[in-house]
Amino acid sequence: MIKNLWFLRGLRKGIRTEKFPEENPVEIALWSTELIGEGNVECPVDAIVDGQWNFEKCIFCRKCTPSFAPKGNINIFRVRNNEPAFRKSFHLFPFDSGACGACNAELHNIASPQYDMTRFGIFFTNTPRHADAIVIMGVWTQGMKKALDLALDAMPGPKLVIALGSCASTGGIMGKGALENEKYDVIIGGCPPNPYTILSALEKARGD
Amino acid sequence: MRWYRHDEPHGRFIGSTGGMDIYAETYKESSRREIESTYTKTDQEFIFSYGPASGMLESSEIDLYTPGEIINHVDVGTDVRKRVIRIAQSDPLDALLKIERINGFHGASHAICFISAIEDAMDINPDGMMQYNRIVQLECERIRGNLLVIERMAQAAGFGVPVNQLAFLREKASRIIGRRGGHRYFFGVNSINSSCFNTDVIGKQMGAITEEFQDIFKGLLESKLFINRLQDNGVNNDKVSTGPAARASGLLHDARIDSRTLPYEDTEYSIVANTEKDAYGRFLVRAEEIQVSASIIKQLEKRCTNLRKSEYSLKDGEGMARVESPSGDLFYSVKILNGKIESLGYIPPSIRNIQSFRESMKGNIFTDFHFNWESYGIWTAEAGVVIQ
């Protein structure tokens, strides 16, 4: 008797993938969504200046409460350049420049059954040679500079450079951004960004 | 200082902050020096370099010295992604924002340990409810952390179904945490004598995760293919190892039993340990600890629901604290002067786990590497930081 057939164990659980983006996110942690408010507050990373909130800098530390509060909008990303060539297949090379591990975990999470990135034709690759986009996480570090330059050179064109989280894009509270901000084609806000935001940004990055 | 005293060594050795050697109950000035690797490559060996950017969850630079198959020596470089974090002369609450981000995946452990050291320095005594609330957070973090370690071990074996089922549970745990504190990694949840983590009926929800995990665990235990890859792989004989790696080697090293920072003695639980010493032993300990953590959460959930508003006054002093993070002993010491942090000491578990991993890898073959590495649950993020 076959006692342990993982295939059957998998079938028994049924489909566990959510309907996002056709339907709204099932559950989001509020402190990874757009902040709305007014007034001057003391922000440790200058994400709020003259009452204007900048998602690229925000680390969602809550020091601006109650003047500002999260309202649940997950669309906190900027797409400067998109690439429609990646509509059917989009291979991502994760690059940890100096992250705390939270961005790494959230990027990893888009592969979990709730989100299932493969239904969108999104995949991870372990080599920049096979990558359509590099997803950079964490702050600039001296030791990773060479590896980052080599990875960017090794990628075939067309390619996209994506900043995941405030550390990569602006340095957040931990240092300076992994690349100059203008070098990014896509910037995804959050500390760390939630998986729904990451998926939405990746969809827009290929012109969907 | 409530929990530590300056004295001759008492209890097991926890680690060195650079200036001080820390033991279970005491500390003293350190005379230790970093032992640098003296291994010299032989003519028969070549170095297989893995990383820093690779298929692993984080960047790390690993050099395997091998004549072809057997691994004779391993170097693990965490300096490659070294982050310099400036804490000195910071306000404690500003410093907390950086401390939470030393190891984001273990954000609760770092925040709670650091805050406990601050409270020790300032003579602040959080009440039982606050302390129980913190224990619940740590145990939630442990459940999620252990799920990730087991998921990564199954991934090394190419077991797609259990990998996805474990990822599903881990995401479920993250959502429970996010719902209760507003953040999936506990950032901004804890502060001095304060927490906004809502524990109402959390025991039932985390219990459902552990129940579903049991079925996956049973399946993995029945898989000879999986078990064979773990048995005799990475035998750990490091007598000062920490966390699940220590407990899988028969050592009852656990801050939950020999640190007085948090009142674990108010709960009924048993420390999981075995004597397998290898990756299989670490897998078993991690899996069984998920049950223990769920039981602790269930016992405490109703004892920490009505947290009082934080009230404290700034005071200079020195404090130390130690908690059991999912990877092992995590220690912080702080000195506060004029309301600012004058100095900070720090011992993360991953530095010791890297040492244990390096020793345990000798004599293994290359294909053992991933299973063994993942079984330690090492986070290079916390090992590769310099705090100034």
Side-chain angles (χ1 to χ4, degrees), chain B residues 275-307:
Chain B
T275 52
E276 304 277 348
K277 294 189 177 184
D278 52 14
Y280 178 60
R282 295 188 279 281
F283 160 69
L284 290 179
V285 166
R286 293 262 184 188
E288 287 167 24
E289 280 189 351
I290 288 175
Q291 297 297 313
V292 174
S293 295
S295 154
I296 294 172
I297 293 168
K298 208 164 172 46
Q299 290 174 57
L300 294 182
E301 64 175 341
K302 287 184 184 152
R303 293 157 74 177
C304 50
T305 46
N306 298 312
L307 295 178

PDB file of all heavy atoms in Angstrom, chain B residues 275-307:
ATOM      1  N   THR B 275      18.907  13.461  21.365  1.00  0.00           N
ATOM      2  CA  THR B 275      20.363  13.255  21.284  1.00  0.00           C
ATOM      3  C   THR B 275      20.805  12.830  19.887  1.00  0.00           C
ATOM      4  O   THR B 275      21.869  12.254  19.724  1.00  0.00           O
ATOM      5  CB  THR B 275      20.810  12.191  22.310  1.00  0.00           C
ATOM      6  OG1 THR B 275      19.994  11.027  22.122  1.00  0.00           O
ATOM      7  CG2 THR B 275      20.654  12.681  23.728  1.00  0.00           C
ATOM      8  N   GLU B 276      19.989  13.143  18.899  1.00  0.00           N
ATOM      9  CA  GLU B 276      20.348  12.753  17.528  1.00  0.00           C
ATOM     10  C   GLU B 276      21.569  13.527  17.026  1.00  0.00           C
ATOM     11  O   GLU B 276      22.346  13.047  16.229  1.00  0.00           O
ATOM     12  CB  GLU B 276      19.171  13.020  16.574  1.00  0.00           C
ATOM     13  CG  GLU B 276      17.869  12.348  16.961  1.00  0.00           C
ATOM     14  CD  GLU B 276      17.797  10.908  16.500  1.00  0.00           C
ATOM     15  OE1 GLU B 276      18.635  10.500  15.693  1.00  0.00           O
ATOM     16  OE2 GLU B 276      16.893  10.191  16.985  1.00  0.00           O
ATOM     17  N   LYS B 277      21.673  14.785  17.425  1.00  0.00           N
ATOM     18  CA  LYS B 277      22.780  15.689  17.095  1.00  0.00           C
ATOM     19  C   LYS B 277      22.839  16.141  15.633  1.00  0.00           C
ATOM     20  O   LYS B 277      23.556  17.074  15.313  1.00  0.00           O
ATOM     21  CB  LYS B 277      24.136  15.054  17.451  1.00  0.00           C
ATOM     22  CG  LYS B 277      24.372  14.840  18.930  1.00  0.00           C
ATOM     23  CD  LYS B 277      25.794  14.420  19.186  1.00  0.00           C
ATOM     24  CE  LYS B 277      26.068  14.278  20.666  1.00  0.00           C
ATOM     25  NZ  LYS B 277      27.439  13.966  20.962  1.00  0.00           N
ATOM     26  N   ASP B 278      22.147  15.478  14.736  1.00  0.00           N
ATOM     27  CA  ASP B 278      22.275  15.793  13.309  1.00  0.00           C
ATOM     28  C   ASP B 278      21.111  16.654  12.811  1.00  0.00           C
ATOM     29  O   ASP B 278      20.270  17.104  13.597  1.00  0.00           O
ATOM     30  CB  ASP B 278      22.381  14.492  12.497  1.00  0.00           C
ATOM     31  CG  ASP B 278      21.248  13.529  12.824  1.00  0.00           C
ATOM     32  OD1 ASP B 278      20.262  13.979  13.452  1.00  0.00           O
ATOM     33  OD2 ASP B 278      21.349  12.343  12.478  1.00  0.00           O
ATOM     34  N   ALA B 279      21.063  16.853  11.491  1.00  0.00           N
ATOM     35  CA  ALA B 279      19.994  17.686  10.916  1.00  0.00           C
ATOM     36  C   ALA B 279      18.621  17.094  11.217  1.00  0.00           C
ATOM     37  O   ALA B 279      17.640  17.826  11.388  1.00  0.00           O
ATOM     38  CB  ALA B 279      20.197  17.829   9.410  1.00  0.00           C
ATOM     39  N   TYR B 280      18.558  15.770  11.291  1.00  0.00           N
ATOM     40  CA  TYR B 280      17.287  15.108  11.624  1.00  0.00           C
ATOM     41  C   TYR B 280      16.850  15.499  13.043  1.00  0.00           C
ATOM     42  O   TYR B 280      15.679  15.805  13.284  1.00  0.00           O
ATOM     43  CB  TYR B 280      17.462  13.597  11.508  1.00  0.00           C
ATOM     44  CG  TYR B 280      16.237  12.798  11.868  1.00  0.00           C
ATOM     45  CD1 TYR B 280      15.046  12.965  11.164  1.00  0.00           C
ATOM     46  CD2 TYR B 280      16.269  11.866  12.905  1.00  0.00           C
ATOM     47  CE1 TYR B 280      13.921  12.235  11.491  1.00  0.00           C
ATOM     48  CE2 TYR B 280      15.144  11.132  13.235  1.00  0.00           C
ATOM     49  CZ  TYR B 280      13.971  11.317  12.533  1.00  0.00           C
ATOM     50  OH  TYR B 280      12.853  10.594  12.863  1.00  0.00           O
ATOM     51  N   GLY B 281      17.798  15.512  13.958  1.00  0.00           N
ATOM     52  CA  GLY B 281      17.495  15.910  15.328  1.00  0.00           C
ATOM     53  C   GLY B 281      16.996  17.349  15.383  1.00  0.00           C
ATOM     54  O   GLY B 281      16.038  17.660  16.101  1.00  0.00           O
ATOM     55  N   ARG B 282      17.615  18.211  14.606  1.00  0.00           N
ATOM     56  CA  ARG B 282      17.191  19.625  14.602  1.00  0.00           C
ATOM     57  C   ARG B 282      15.794  19.768  13.999  1.00  0.00           C
ATOM     58  O   ARG B 282      14.989  20.589  14.441  1.00  0.00           O
ATOM     59  CB  ARG B 282      18.236  20.472  13.862  1.00  0.00           C
ATOM     60  CG  ARG B 282      19.577  20.503  14.589  1.00  0.00           C
ATOM     61  CD  ARG B 282      20.553  21.468  13.987  1.00  0.00           C
ATOM     62  NE  ARG B 282      21.249  20.983  12.818  1.00  0.00           N
ATOM     63  CZ  ARG B 282      22.291  20.151  12.826  1.00  0.00           C
ATOM     64  NH1 ARG B 282      22.771  19.704  13.977  1.00  0.00           N
ATOM     65  NH2 ARG B 282      22.881  19.765  11.709  1.00  0.00           N
ATOM     66  N   PHE B 283      15.524  18.951  12.995  1.00  0.00           N
ATOM     67  CA  PHE B 283      14.179  18.934  12.392  1.00  0.00           C
ATOM     68  C   PHE B 283      13.139  18.499  13.425  1.00  0.00           C
ATOM     69  O   PHE B 283      12.090  19.140  13.582  1.00  0.00           O
ATOM     70  CB  PHE B 283      14.202  17.981  11.177  1.00  0.00           C
ATOM     71  CG  PHE B 283      12.873  17.466  10.731  1.00  0.00           C
ATOM     72  CD1 PHE B 283      11.926  18.303  10.150  1.00  0.00           C
ATOM     73  CD2 PHE B 283      12.552  16.121  10.876  1.00  0.00           C
ATOM     74  CE1 PHE B 283      10.695  17.810   9.724  1.00  0.00           C
ATOM     75  CE2 PHE B 283      11.330  15.621  10.463  1.00  0.00           C
ATOM     76  CZ  PHE B 283      10.388  16.465   9.892  1.00  0.00           C
ATOM     77  N   LEU B 284      13.456  17.438  14.171  1.00  0.00           N
ATOM     78  CA  LEU B 284      12.509  16.942  15.183  1.00  0.00           C
ATOM     79  C   LEU B 284      12.256  17.985  16.270  1.00  0.00           C
ATOM     80  O   LEU B 284      11.112  18.235  16.662  1.00  0.00           O
ATOM     81  CB  LEU B 284      13.047  15.662  15.832  1.00  0.00           C
ATOM     82  CG  LEU B 284      13.082  14.391  14.978  1.00  0.00           C
ATOM     83  CD1 LEU B 284      13.657  13.235  15.786  1.00  0.00           C
ATOM     84  CD2 LEU B 284      11.696  14.036  14.472  1.00  0.00           C
ATOM     85  N   VAL B 285      13.340  18.607  16.745  1.00  0.00           N
ATOM     86  CA  VAL B 285      13.192  19.599  17.815  1.00  0.00           C
ATOM     87  C   VAL B 285      12.336  20.763  17.328  1.00  0.00           C
ATOM     88  O   VAL B 285      11.404  21.206  18.014  1.00  0.00           O
ATOM     89  CB  VAL B 285      14.576  20.089  18.301  1.00  0.00           C
ATOM     90  CG1 VAL B 285      14.443  21.345  19.152  1.00  0.00           C
ATOM     91  CG2 VAL B 285      15.266  18.992  19.108  1.00  0.00           C
ATOM     92  N   ARG B 286      12.639  21.263  16.145  1.00  0.00           N
ATOM     93  CA  ARG B 286      11.852  22.388  15.593  1.00  0.00           C
ATOM     94  C   ARG B 286      10.371  22.016  15.485  1.00  0.00           C
ATOM     95  O   ARG B 286       9.491  22.820  15.817  1.00  0.00           O
ATOM     96  CB  ARG B 286      12.373  22.759  14.207  1.00  0.00           C
ATOM     97  CG  ARG B 286      13.775  23.342  14.209  1.00  0.00           C
ATOM     98  CD  ARG B 286      13.737  24.835  14.155  1.00  0.00           C
ATOM     99  NE  ARG B 286      15.064  25.398  14.051  1.00  0.00           N
ATOM    100  CZ  ARG B 286      15.315  26.685  14.141  1.00  0.00           C
ATOM    101  NH1 ARG B 286      14.341  27.545  14.341  1.00  0.00           N
ATOM    102  NH2 ARG B 286      16.538  27.154  14.048  1.00  0.00           N
ATOM    103  N   ALA B 287      10.112  20.816  14.977  1.00  0.00           N
ATOM    104  CA  ALA B 287       8.716  20.403  14.768  1.00  0.00           C
ATOM    105  C   ALA B 287       7.982  20.275  16.106  1.00  0.00           C
ATOM    106  O   ALA B 287       6.851  20.750  16.244  1.00  0.00           O
ATOM    107  CB  ALA B 287       8.698  19.081  14.009  1.00  0.00           C
ATOM    108  N   GLU B 288       8.635  19.658  17.069  1.00  0.00           N
ATOM    109  CA  GLU B 288       7.957  19.446  18.357  1.00  0.00           C
ATOM    110  C   GLU B 288       7.820  20.752  19.133  1.00  0.00           C
ATOM    111  O   GLU B 288       6.874  20.933  19.899  1.00  0.00           O
ATOM    112  CB  GLU B 288       8.705  18.384  19.161  1.00  0.00           C
ATOM    113  CG  GLU B 288       8.490  16.984  18.570  1.00  0.00           C
ATOM    114  CD  GLU B 288       9.443  15.938  19.111  1.00  0.00           C
ATOM    115  OE1 GLU B 288       9.951  16.137  20.227  1.00  0.00           O
ATOM    116  OE2 GLU B 288       9.680  14.937  18.413  1.00  0.00           O
ATOM    117  N   GLU B 289       8.744  21.672  18.906  1.00  0.00           N
ATOM    118  CA  GLU B 289       8.647  22.970  19.603  1.00  0.00           C
ATOM    119  C   GLU B 289       7.447  23.783  19.133  1.00  0.00           C
ATOM    120  O   GLU B 289       6.956  24.648  19.852  1.00  0.00           O
ATOM    121  CB  GLU B 289       9.933  23.774  19.402  1.00  0.00           C
ATOM    122  CG  GLU B 289      11.033  23.312  20.346  1.00  0.00           C
ATOM    123  CD  GLU B 289      12.246  24.215  20.344  1.00  0.00           C
ATOM    124  OE1 GLU B 289      12.323  25.123  19.496  1.00  0.00           O
ATOM    125  OE2 GLU B 289      13.119  23.998  21.197  1.00  0.00           O
ATOM    126  N   ILE B 290       6.987  23.500  17.933  1.00  0.00           N
ATOM    127  CA  ILE B 290       5.791  24.204  17.450  1.00  0.00           C
ATOM    128  C   ILE B 290       4.607  23.882  18.369  1.00  0.00           C
ATOM    129  O   ILE B 290       3.832  24.768  18.747  1.00  0.00           O
ATOM    130  CB  ILE B 290       5.512  23.807  15.973  1.00  0.00           C
ATOM    131  CG1 ILE B 290       6.566  24.454  15.063  1.00  0.00           C
ATOM    132  CG2 ILE B 290       4.099  24.198  15.549  1.00  0.00           C
ATOM    133  CD1 ILE B 290       6.489  24.056  13.606  1.00  0.00           C
ATOM    134  N   GLN B 291       4.511  22.612  18.767  1.00  0.00           N
ATOM    135  CA  GLN B 291       3.436  22.206  19.688  1.00  0.00           C
ATOM    136  C   GLN B 291       3.584  22.891  21.044  1.00  0.00           C
ATOM    137  O   GLN B 291       2.615  23.358  21.633  1.00  0.00           O
ATOM    138  CB  GLN B 291       3.481  20.686  19.900  1.00  0.00           C
ATOM    139  CG  GLN B 291       3.224  19.878  18.657  1.00  0.00           C
ATOM    140  CD  GLN B 291       1.835  20.114  18.110  1.00  0.00           C
ATOM    141  OE1 GLN B 291       0.872  20.085  18.853  1.00  0.00           O
ATOM    142  NE2 GLN B 291       1.730  20.387  16.838  1.00  0.00           N
ATOM    143  N   VAL B 292       4.819  22.914  21.528  1.00  0.00           N
ATOM    144  CA  VAL B 292       5.078  23.514  22.848  1.00  0.00           C
ATOM    145  C   VAL B 292       4.707  24.999  22.825  1.00  0.00           C
ATOM    146  O   VAL B 292       4.063  25.517  23.744  1.00  0.00           O
ATOM    147  CB  VAL B 292       6.560  23.314  23.248  1.00  0.00           C
ATOM    148  CG1 VAL B 292       6.870  24.056  24.540  1.00  0.00           C
ATOM    149  CG2 VAL B 292       6.880  21.835  23.401  1.00  0.00           C
ATOM    150  N   SER B 293       5.112  25.678  21.764  1.00  0.00           N
ATOM    151  CA  SER B 293       4.810  27.117  21.658  1.00  0.00           C
ATOM    152  C   SER B 293       3.305  27.347  21.631  1.00  0.00           C
ATOM    153  O   SER B 293       2.805  28.273  22.282  1.00  0.00           O
ATOM    154  CB  SER B 293       5.444  27.697  20.391  1.00  0.00           C
ATOM    155  OG  SER B 293       6.838  27.640  20.486  1.00  0.00           O
ATOM    156  N   ALA B 294       2.594  26.512  20.881  1.00  0.00           N
ATOM    157  CA  ALA B 294       1.131  26.668  20.811  1.00  0.00           C
ATOM    158  C   ALA B 294       0.514  26.480  22.189  1.00  0.00           C
ATOM    159  O   ALA B 294      -0.431  27.192  22.565  1.00  0.00           O
ATOM    160  CB  ALA B 294       0.559  25.663  19.819  1.00  0.00           C
ATOM    161  N   SER B 295       1.067  25.551  22.961  1.00  0.00           N
ATOM    162  CA  SER B 295       0.535  25.299  24.303  1.00  0.00           C
ATOM    163  C   SER B 295       0.793  26.507  25.219  1.00  0.00           C
ATOM    164  O   SER B 295      -0.086  26.913  25.998  1.00  0.00           O
ATOM    165  CB  SER B 295       1.187  24.025  24.853  1.00  0.00           C
ATOM    166  OG  SER B 295       1.214  24.042  26.243  1.00  0.00           O
ATOM    167  N   ILE B 296       1.979  27.095  25.117  1.00  0.00           N
ATOM    168  CA  ILE B 296       2.290  28.287  25.937  1.00  0.00           C
ATOM    169  C   ILE B 296       1.343  29.434  25.584  1.00  0.00           C
ATOM    170  O   ILE B 296       0.806  30.125  26.465  1.00  0.00           O
ATOM    171  CB  ILE B 296       3.769  28.703  25.737  1.00  0.00           C
ATOM    172  CG1 ILE B 296       4.707  27.629  26.301  1.00  0.00           C
ATOM    173  CG2 ILE B 296       4.046  30.051  26.395  1.00  0.00           C
ATOM    174  CD1 ILE B 296       6.181  27.848  25.995  1.00  0.00           C
ATOM    175  N   ILE B 297       1.127  29.623  24.276  1.00  0.00           N
ATOM    176  CA  ILE B 297       0.229  30.712  23.837  1.00  0.00           C
ATOM    177  C   ILE B 297      -1.168  30.500  24.420  1.00  0.00           C
ATOM    178  O   ILE B 297      -1.789  31.422  24.939  1.00  0.00           O
ATOM    179  CB  ILE B 297       0.186  30.770  22.288  1.00  0.00           C
ATOM    180  CG1 ILE B 297       1.542  31.210  21.730  1.00  0.00           C
ATOM    181  CG2 ILE B 297      -0.925  31.711  21.807  1.00  0.00           C
ATOM    182  CD1 ILE B 297       1.695  31.017  20.235  1.00  0.00           C
ATOM    183  N   LYS B 298      -1.639  29.275  24.355  1.00  0.00           N
ATOM    184  CA  LYS B 298      -2.992  28.970  24.844  1.00  0.00           C
ATOM    185  C   LYS B 298      -3.113  29.254  26.353  1.00  0.00           C
ATOM    186  O   LYS B 298      -4.126  29.773  26.814  1.00  0.00           O
ATOM    187  CB  LYS B 298      -3.304  27.496  24.556  1.00  0.00           C
ATOM    188  CG  LYS B 298      -4.782  27.232  24.380  1.00  0.00           C
ATOM    189  CD  LYS B 298      -5.021  25.894  23.740  1.00  0.00           C
ATOM    190  CE  LYS B 298      -6.471  25.511  23.715  1.00  0.00           C
ATOM    191  NZ  LYS B 298      -7.404  26.505  23.302  1.00  0.00           N
ATOM    192  N   GLN B 299      -2.065  28.932  27.073  1.00  0.00           N
ATOM    193  CA  GLN B 299      -2.100  29.168  28.528  1.00  0.00           C
ATOM    194  C   GLN B 299      -2.128  30.661  28.875  1.00  0.00           C
ATOM    195  O   GLN B 299      -2.702  31.064  29.865  1.00  0.00           O
ATOM    196  CB  GLN B 299      -0.869  28.549  29.187  1.00  0.00           C
ATOM    197  CG  GLN B 299      -0.855  27.034  29.204  1.00  0.00           C
ATOM    198  CD  GLN B 299       0.467  26.520  29.741  1.00  0.00           C
ATOM    199  OE1 GLN B 299       0.868  26.843  30.843  1.00  0.00           O
ATOM    200  NE2 GLN B 299       1.147  25.708  28.941  1.00  0.00           N
ATOM    201  N   LEU B 300      -1.472  31.462  28.033  1.00  0.00           N
ATOM    202  CA  LEU B 300      -1.296  32.876  28.405  1.00  0.00           C
ATOM    203  C   LEU B 300      -2.265  33.848  27.739  1.00  0.00           C
ATOM    204  O   LEU B 300      -2.367  34.997  28.156  1.00  0.00           O
ATOM    205  CB  LEU B 300       0.146  33.316  28.087  1.00  0.00           C
ATOM    206  CG  LEU B 300       1.253  32.645  28.899  1.00  0.00           C
ATOM    207  CD1 LEU B 300       2.604  33.212  28.506  1.00  0.00           C
ATOM    208  CD2 LEU B 300       1.042  32.838  30.408  1.00  0.00           C
ATOM    209  N   GLU B 301      -2.964  33.409  26.680  1.00  0.00           N
ATOM    210  CA  GLU B 301      -3.747  34.362  25.882  1.00  0.00           C
ATOM    211  C   GLU B 301      -4.744  35.171  26.715  1.00  0.00           C
ATOM    212  O   GLU B 301      -4.958  36.348  26.471  1.00  0.00           O
ATOM    213  CB  GLU B 301      -4.465  33.662  24.726  1.00  0.00           C
ATOM    214  CG  GLU B 301      -5.492  32.651  25.172  1.00  0.00           C
ATOM    215  CD  GLU B 301      -6.263  32.055  24.006  1.00  0.00           C
ATOM    216  OE1 GLU B 301      -6.260  32.646  22.926  1.00  0.00           O
ATOM    217  OE2 GLU B 301      -6.875  30.991  24.196  1.00  0.00           O
ATOM    218  N   LYS B 302      -5.334  34.538  27.714  1.00  0.00           N
ATOM    219  CA  LYS B 302      -6.350  35.253  28.496  1.00  0.00           C
ATOM    220  C   LYS B 302      -5.746  36.033  29.654  1.00  0.00           C
ATOM    221  O   LYS B 302      -6.452  36.755  30.355  1.00  0.00           O
ATOM    222  CB  LYS B 302      -7.376  34.252  29.032  1.00  0.00           C
ATOM    223  CG  LYS B 302      -8.289  33.750  27.928  1.00  0.00           C
ATOM    224  CD  LYS B 302      -9.357  32.850  28.471  1.00  0.00           C
ATOM    225  CE  LYS B 302     -10.181  32.304  27.300  1.00  0.00           C
ATOM    226  NZ  LYS B 302     -10.756  31.015  27.586  1.00  0.00           N
ATOM    227  N   ARG B 303      -4.446  35.847  29.845  1.00  0.00           N
ATOM    228  CA  ARG B 303      -3.811  36.517  30.986  1.00  0.00           C
ATOM    229  C   ARG B 303      -3.139  37.820  30.580  1.00  0.00           C
ATOM    230  O   ARG B 303      -2.396  38.403  31.359  1.00  0.00           O
ATOM    231  CB  ARG B 303      -2.800  35.572  31.642  1.00  0.00           C
ATOM    232  CG  ARG B 303      -3.509  34.373  32.288  1.00  0.00           C
ATOM    233  CD  ARG B 303      -2.607  33.189  32.452  1.00  0.00           C
ATOM    234  NE  ARG B 303      -1.640  33.353  33.513  1.00  0.00           N
ATOM    235  CZ  ARG B 303      -0.776  32.409  33.868  1.00  0.00           C
ATOM    236  NH1 ARG B 303      -0.794  31.239  33.257  1.00  0.00           N
ATOM    237  NH2 ARG B 303       0.087  32.618  34.817  1.00  0.00           N
ATOM    238  N   CYS B 304      -3.340  38.227  29.344  1.00  0.00           N
ATOM    239  CA  CYS B 304      -2.647  39.462  28.923  1.00  0.00           C
ATOM    240  C   CYS B 304      -3.504  40.299  27.983  1.00  0.00           C
ATOM    241  O   CYS B 304      -3.000  40.911  27.050  1.00  0.00           O
ATOM    242  CB  CYS B 304      -1.317  39.128  28.285  1.00  0.00           C
ATOM    243  SG  CYS B 304      -1.370  37.878  27.012  1.00  0.00           S
ATOM    244  N   THR B 305      -4.799  40.305  28.224  1.00  0.00           N
ATOM    245  CA  THR B 305      -5.677  41.004  27.291  1.00  0.00           C
ATOM    246  C   THR B 305      -5.876  42.481  27.632  1.00  0.00           C
ATOM    247  O   THR B 305      -6.139  43.288  26.757  1.00  0.00           O
ATOM    248  CB  THR B 305      -7.060  40.319  27.226  1.00  0.00           C
ATOM    249  OG1 THR B 305      -7.465  40.076  28.563  1.00  0.00           O
ATOM    250  CG2 THR B 305      -7.002  39.023  26.459  1.00  0.00           C
ATOM    251  N   ASN B 306      -5.790  42.830  28.911  1.00  0.00           N
ATOM    252  CA  ASN B 306      -6.059  44.226  29.282  1.00  0.00           C
ATOM    253  C   ASN B 306      -4.762  44.950  29.658  1.00  0.00           C
ATOM    254  O   ASN B 306      -4.468  45.157  30.828  1.00  0.00           O
ATOM    255  CB  ASN B 306      -7.034  44.291  30.468  1.00  0.00           C
ATOM    256  CG  ASN B 306      -8.361  43.673  30.101  1.00  0.00           C
ATOM    257  OD1 ASN B 306      -8.913  43.976  29.053  1.00  0.00           O
ATOM    258  ND2 ASN B 306      -8.851  42.788  30.949  1.00  0.00           N
ATOM    259  N   LEU B 307      -4.007  45.297  28.634  1.00  0.00           N
ATOM    260  CA  LEU B 307      -2.729  45.953  28.905  1.00  0.00           C
ATOM    261  C   LEU B 307      -2.963  47.389  29.337  1.00  0.00           C
ATOM    262  O   LEU B 307      -3.799  48.093  28.783  1.00  0.00           O
ATOM    263  CB  LEU B 307      -1.859  45.923  27.647  1.00  0.00           C
ATOM    264  CG  LEU B 307      -1.428  44.537  27.175  1.00  0.00           C
ATOM    265  CD1 LEU B 307      -0.623  44.644  25.897  1.00  0.00           C
ATOM    266  CD2 LEU B 307      -0.624  43.818  28.232  1.00  0.00           C
TER     267      LEU B 307
END
